[in-house]
Amino acid sequence: EIVLTQSPATLSLSPGERATLSCRASQSVGGYLAWYQQKRGQAPRLLLYDTSNRATGIPARFSGSGSGTDFTLTISILEPEDFAVYYCQHRSNWPLTFGQGTRLEIK
Amino acid sequence: EVQLVESGGGLVQPGGSLRLSCAASGFTFSSYWMHWVRQAPGKGLVWVSRIDGDGSYTNYADSVKGRFTISRDNAKNTVYLQMHSLRAEDTAVYYCARDLKVTNWFDSWGQGTLVTVSS
């Protein structure tokens, strides 16, 4: 099973700042990584898939990069609605697994 | 508009059974793989199971293999998760999720249904 480790566990920033979230895989997942956003009390929402492809309706301030074992989600200019928990997920093999999440909170 | 509505959750004793349903609308259901993903209270997301469009192929997390069965009725636009031999650690919100066109990414999610396993 591929283990995805996200860092930091919590990120405290202010609106208008840039956010950089990391996801590291225990073995290569190629480019097969996605990012989800989950707000409190809501279902997750797909943000990016295959490392850097934005899902339908996702603003351009969300971008992704990386390959192999190291991936990054960047939010260029934080909006108030971006404060949430973010999860990475791979689809390289079975079982599909998620990272433990990074909580992005308002500083 | 894509809609996924889960039902069937509730309180069940350890060792008991429960069947979850997920009613889909707003898309050609039979053309999409479907998944179940769960989230224990205050914890992260865990993938549970996947079924292909006609129900021929399924996959399961090791933690539920042999206890849970995923199935679908394309005439009713519904996917199911039959759960047996439930344990306390199965307590979670269970989400059904639509696959992003044969990719194992989850592009639409239901609101979830809570399963609580407790005596």
Side-chain angles (χ1 to χ4, degrees):
Chain A
E1 171 175 320
I2 295 175
V3 176
L4 299 178
T5 302
Q6 294 186 239
S7 61
T10 303
L11 184 58
S12 299
L13 293 170
S14 300
E17 291 193 294
R18 180 186 187 89
T20 303
L21 287 67
S22 176
C23 178
R24 175 164 289 179
S26 59
Q27 63 189 77
S28 177
V29 298
Y32 295 139
L33 194 97
W35 292 91
Y36 298 83
Q37 177 194 66
Q38 187 178 32
K39 297 180 180 179
R40 187 179 299 275
Q42 296 185 16
R45 176 175 70 147
L46 178 65
L47 297 175
L48 302 168
Y49 62 93
D50 292 344
T51 300
S52 60
N53 294 308
R54 277 188 297 276
T56 302
I58 301 304
R61 66 180 181 274
F62 291 91
S63 63
S65 62
S67 66
T69 60
D70 290 291
F71 298 85
T72 300
L73 167 66
T74 301
I75 310 172
S76 57
I77 301 173
L78 283 167
E79 299 287 345
E81 62 267 28
D82 297 337
F83 292 90
V85 179
Y86 292 82
Y87 294 94
C88 57
Q89 177 231 331
H90 83 87
R91 70 171 182 102
S92 180
N93 57 18
W94 300 106
L96 310 176
T97 59
F98 292 88
Q100 83 282 11
T102 288
R103 179 177 303 278
L104 179 56
E105 64 177 26
I106 299 176
K107 188 174 183 179
Chain B
E1 179 194 4
V2 174
Q3 279 205 314
L4 299 170
V5 180
E6 301 94 337
S7 60
L11 176 63
V12 61
Q13 292 189 335
S17 298
L18 211 55
R19 189 178 82 156
L20 306 182
S21 300
C22 171
S25 60
F27 62 101
T28 305
F29 181 69
S30 59
S31 296
Y32 287 82
W33 296 357
M34 297 295 295
H35 300 259
W36 288 96
V37 177
R38 70 185 182 184
Q39 186 170 36
K43 302 297 184 181
L45 301 168
V46 177
W47 171 80
V48 173
S49 184
R50 184 220 76 172
I51 189 167
D52 71 349
D54 64 6
S56 299
Y57 294 98
T58 59
N59 298 88
Y60 297 93
D62 284 347
S63 59
V64 307
K65 202 172 293 183
R67 300 188 299 124
F68 291 11
T69 301
I70 190 171
S71 62
R72 65 193 296 159
D73 184 338
N74 287 342
K76 295 183 178 179
N77 288 353
T78 300
V79 60
Y80 304 99
L81 187 68
Q82 178 69 55
M83 305 184 293
H84 295 296
S85 303
L86 283 162
R87 307 165 180 167
E89 55 265 35
D90 295 318
T91 294
V93 173
Y94 284 73
Y95 295 101
C96 73
R98 190 183 77 166
D99 191 284
L100 178 63
K101 276 298 187 181
V102 195
T103 61
N104 289 319
W105 304 132
F106 316 122
D107 72 340
S108 294
W109 298 65
Q111 84 289 350
T113 187
L114 176 62
V115 172
T116 302
V117 184
S118 175
S119 54

